[in-house]
Amino acid sequence: MKNILIINSGSSSLKFQLIQMPSEAVLASGMVERIGLDNAMLHFKAGNNKISEQLEAKDHAVSLKAITDHLMSSEKGVIKNREEIAAVGHRVVHGGNAFSKTILIDSQVKQQIREYFSLAPLHNPANLKGIEVAEELFPDSRQIAVFDTSFHTSIPRKAAQYAIPNELYEENHIQLYGFHGTSHKYVTKKAIDQLQKENSKIISIHLGNGCSMTAIKDGKSLDHSLGFAPVNGLIMGTRSGDIDQSVIFYLIDELGYTSQEVSDLLHKKSGMYGLTGYSDLRDIEEQAENGDKQCQLALEMNAYRIKKYIGAYAAAMNGVDALVFTAGIGENSDVIRKMVCSDMDFFGIKINEEKNKIRSKKSREIQAEDSKVKIFVIPTNEELEIAQQTFELIS
């Protein structure tokens, strides 16, 4: 048995699980959410011990150190010393063309992750920080990187290449890479098990602070809503999603923005935050229910964009067997799921509103009896997927 600590550093959160492999027993789990905000919270669970406490988490380093302290606590911890951690598995968002599989981290790997900062500015810096802090805290543990982009290497060139001069693809590797691959891969395997058919057409809808959709045919990624960097596609917490490129030129040429200011605008000040002043969908739904017109519009825009991608991917695969909602919003927001799946009769998509309202941490089906398409809510477990890949590499 080997203890593997999984670190999933998101743009505003840090999730972790300590998993004993190969039994897949979860010894401890939790997260720090709303990192960088005044109301950051640490949630820690080990056995019957559950803790939720406010934390002054200005960054990911503080968050990981707090988690480590809890893991080794004499009262509520599950390990006595750092040496009990055989490996630390890290989620890394952008691996570009450099990494197509899980890999042992060394200085060269870290440098390559750093070189992709500009392509994933909200994630790769946080991912690298998690790696560097983990190296300090667990110097005797092997550090392993699992890349979000690797699941999408099966996307064909006709979908991955942009209609710009060929040399930019061939020499500069400008193309669609895709993200959230660890999550999409995990829930796809679960969906295929539930469908009981290998030859399947699945649209995986990952909705969190970052959002993406994947067209998955026969278990392989066929197309994906995020591209060269994780900012296009769906409307996200602070990211714009799809936008006319001309807007960027207008911001620079006519309004005097610098390229860095445009990048900050599209990555950190747009999306649901730019539309409403809130980046957390729970706040937006609450305000919308209280009559806030702008929050209501933002929800409508969010759902409309998802619907457009469902239509596109159904066309790309010549059909769809199942929709999968996953990640924080996908798993918990019955409001978004209902808005997305309403008025989709042409595709044979019909939601059961009562089933949709049920809260559960288990996988479930929420389609109506006469729906031709299955609608799954499958809690993602990127940490377990990372643990499986990490264990396979070090064994």
Side-chain angles (χ1 to χ4, degrees):
M1 292 291 182
K2 295 181 179 179
N3 294 332
I4 298 177
L5 177 63
I6 306 304
I7 295 175
N8 184 345
S9 295
S11 55
S12 61
S13 65
L14 195 155
K15 294 193 288 184
F16 80 93
Q17 287 189 22
L18 182 60
I19 301 177
Q20 193 173 71
M21 295 295 290
S23 68
E24 299 184 357
V26 179
L27 304 181
S29 63
M31 69 181 298
V32 178
E33 60 178 341
R34 303 188 181 190
I35 294 172
L37 301 178
D38 293 336
N39 57 347
M41 293 291 294
L42 167 65
H43 306 284
F44 181 92
K45 180 182 179 183
N48 294 324
N49 291 319
K50 272 188 177 182
I51 300 164
S52 289
E53 58 189 23
Q54 201 156 3
L55 180 70
E56 290 187 14
K58 64 177 182 178
D59 56 29
H60 290 69
V62 172
S63 303
L64 184 54
K65 288 176 181 176
I67 289 168
T68 304
D69 288 342
H70 279 71
L71 286 173
M72 297 190 298
S73 166
S74 58
E75 297 177 3
K76 49 188 176 288
V78 292
I79 58 174
K80 294 181 180 179
N81 54 63
R82 293 173 170 83
E83 288 70 31
E84 293 183 43
I85 305 296
V88 182
H90 298 268
R91 175 206 178 199
V92 180
V93 165
H94 211 311
N97 276 343
F99 306 107
S100 60
K101 59 183 180 180
T102 299
I103 194 167
L104 181 68
I105 296 170
D106 58 18
S107 58
Q108 186 175 352
V109 171
K110 287 189 289 184
Q111 179 57 35
Q112 193 69 60
I113 292 170
R114 187 176 288 106
E115 290 179 10
Y116 289 129
F117 275 13
S118 62
L119 301 185
L122 295 183
H123 299 88
N124 270 38
N127 301 156
L128 183 59
K129 175 59 71 174
I131 291 169
E132 291 173 339
V133 175
E135 286 177 329
E136 292 179 10
L137 294 173
F138 304 100
D140 297 323
S141 305
R142 281 178 281 185
Q143 308 290 327
I144 309 296
V146 179
F147 297 90
D148 271 6
T149 45
S150 62
F151 177 61
H152 301 295
T153 55
S154 57
I155 292 176
R157 184 167 176 173
K158 66 181 181 181
Q161 185 172 353
Y162 297 116
I164 54 179
N166 280 320
E167 58 265 24
L168 292 173
Y169 172 82
E170 294 168 352
E171 298 175 15
N172 303 104
H173 310 298
I174 297 175
Q175 65 177 77
L176 184 156
Y177 287 106
F179 302 92
H180 297 137
T182 307
S183 174
H184 288 297
K185 182 177 181 179
Y186 178 83
V187 299
T188 295
K189 291 190 294 186
K190 294 290 184 181
I192 289 173
D193 288 343
Q194 290 182 238
L195 286 169
Q196 295 184 332
K197 56 186 296 189
E198 285 293 330
N199 299 320
S200 56
K201 300 171 182 178
I202 296 169
I203 299 176
S204 176
I205 308 170
H206 177 107
L207 304 177
N209 192 49
C211 303
S212 69
M213 291 173 60
T214 306
I216 301 163
K217 189 173 182 180
D218 304 335
K220 294 184 178 181
S221 178
L222 188 73
D223 203 350
H224 183 75
S225 63
L226 293 169
F228 182 61
V231 69
N232 64 306
L234 306 182
I235 297 171
M236 294 169 257
T238 64
R239 282 169 274 173
S240 65
D242 289 338
I243 189 170
D244 182 349
Q245 298 94 322
S246 300
V247 173
I248 297 172
F249 304 136
Y250 185 82
L251 289 169
I252 293 173
D253 296 337
E254 300 297 329
L255 300 185
Y257 281 68
T258 66
S259 61
Q260 184 58 54
E261 287 172 339
V262 173
S263 178
D264 288 343
L265 176 74
L266 298 180
H267 283 92
K268 302 176 181 179
K269 301 177 182 178
S270 297
M272 300 301 276
Y273 176 76
L275 293 170
T276 68
Y278 302 98
S279 61
D280 194 306
L281 196 81
R282 291 169 292 189
D283 298 328
I284 296 169
E285 288 183 358
E286 182 180 351
Q287 294 301 317
E289 191 174 349
N290 292 333
D292 187 307
K293 298 295 184 184
Q294 198 58 42
C295 288
Q296 291 171 356
L297 174 62
L299 291 174
E300 290 171 2
M301 291 172 64
N302 192 309
Y304 179 73
R305 186 73 59 85
I306 296 169
K307 284 181 176 228
K308 286 174 66 175
Y309 272 91
I310 290 174
Y313 290 164
M317 295 189 292
N318 191 26
V320 56
D321 296 311
L323 303 181
V324 179
F325 288 92
T326 192
I329 293 170
E331 295 166 26
N332 297 304
S333 177
D334 59 288
V335 173
I336 287 292
R337 292 195 301 263
K338 179 183 176 182
M339 293 177 73
V340 169
C341 296
S342 296
D343 301 319
M344 296 286 274
D345 307 57
F346 179 81
F347 294 98
I349 297 170
K350 295 183 181 180
I351 197 167
N352 182 310
E353 294 192 21
E354 293 306 313
K355 288 183 179 179
N356 181 45
K357 291 178 182 177
I358 297 173
R359 284 292 187 98
S360 174
K361 293 184 178 180
K362 296 182 179 179
S363 298
R364 57 199 186 277
E365 297 182 21
I366 60 170
Q367 74 275 0
E369 288 187 12
D370 58 343
S371 178
K372 295 179 181 178
V373 175
K374 296 280 190 181
I375 306 173
F376 296 131
V377 179
I378 301 179
T380 191
N381 195 335
E382 294 168 290
E383 290 77 20
L384 179 56
E385 182 67 34
I386 293 170
Q388 291 169 344
Q389 293 187 39
T390 298
F391 180 71
E392 184 177 344
L393 183 65
I394 67 173
S395 297

